[in-house]
Amino acid sequence: MSFSELFESGFKKRNEDHFAAIVRVAMSDGFINEAERAFLDRLATRLDITEADYKTILKDYQSHPINPPVSYDKRLERLYDLARMVWADHIEGESQVRLLEKLCIGLGFNPDNVKYITDKALSLVHYEVDLDDFIDKMKNMNQ
């Protein structure tokens, strides 16, 4: 196996795990609604998830680990995706917010700050900020 193949397979696995984490949020209420499906379809395209992998992940999303990104900006990007998924589901219950808090811990955020981070993230996606604004506001939320 060449170095580039090794890099590609690791990148593909991280994308699949990230996608599975988002599916986990979507499935927290037991089903995927239309808005969630549309978001998952767009995200799958962005993450280069094949149709076959998409179907496999939908069936077995809980077997994928939550792999935290090393970079803080990448963590914020993943949080943005996850918060948008929770918001797309119209925050049907406290269980989804708690699940997002757990996923934040899995992404590597400090457990002492997770409630504050989750609340801020959901507030920002409520106001439909784009990714760049989201990252900027999350980085500067204490100022």
Side-chain angles (χ1 to χ4, degrees):
M1 176 183 291
S2 74
F3 179 74
S4 63
E5 289 172 329
L6 181 63
F7 177 76
E8 288 172 9
S9 67
F11 186 73
K12 181 177 178 355
K13 176 73 172 131
R14 281 191 302 276
N15 281 351
E16 288 174 359
D17 292 343
H18 175 52
F19 185 73
I22 294 171
V23 170
R24 188 177 301 193
V25 171
M27 290 296 293
S28 67
D29 60 358
F31 66 95
I32 296 175
N33 68 31
E34 231 177 272
E36 292 168 336
R37 176 66 71 169
F39 179 73
L40 287 172
D41 291 346
R42 287 190 308 273
L43 187 61
T45 300
R46 193 174 108 200
L47 295 175
D48 293 323
I49 305 292
T50 66
E51 187 174 337
D53 289 339
Y54 188 113
K55 289 177 182 176
T56 300
I57 290 169
L58 284 179
K59 288 180 187 173
D60 194 25
Y61 60 90
Q62 293 181 332
S63 70
H64 289 263
I66 300 171
N67 292 322
V70 175
S71 125
Y72 186 63
D73 283 351
K74 291 293 181 190
R75 271 191 245 158
L76 290 173
E77 284 178 31
R78 289 198 181 177
L79 175 60
Y80 178 72
D81 290 339
L82 293 167
R84 287 179 56 213
M85 180 55 65
V86 168
W87 194 256
D89 198 22
H90 308 292
I91 311 177
E92 297 287 334
E94 191 62 31
S95 64
Q96 288 176 306
V97 175
R98 279 194 307 271
L99 180 58
L100 182 58
E101 290 172 356
K102 289 178 186 177
L103 290 170
C104 282
I105 292 169
L107 285 173
F109 290 101
N110 183 331
D112 295 335
N113 299 331
V114 163
K115 177 133 183 67
Y116 182 62
I117 290 168
T118 301
D119 289 344
K120 181 69 172 181
L122 289 172
S123 173
L124 290 171
V125 297
H126 168 73
Y127 290 108
E128 299 180 359
V129 300
D130 65 16
L131 176 60
D132 291 333
D133 285 341
F134 180 88
I135 290 172
D136 181 59
K137 290 182 186 318
M138 291 300 291
K139 283 181 173 179
N140 296 302
M141 70 180 166
N142 291 328
Q143 297 177 350

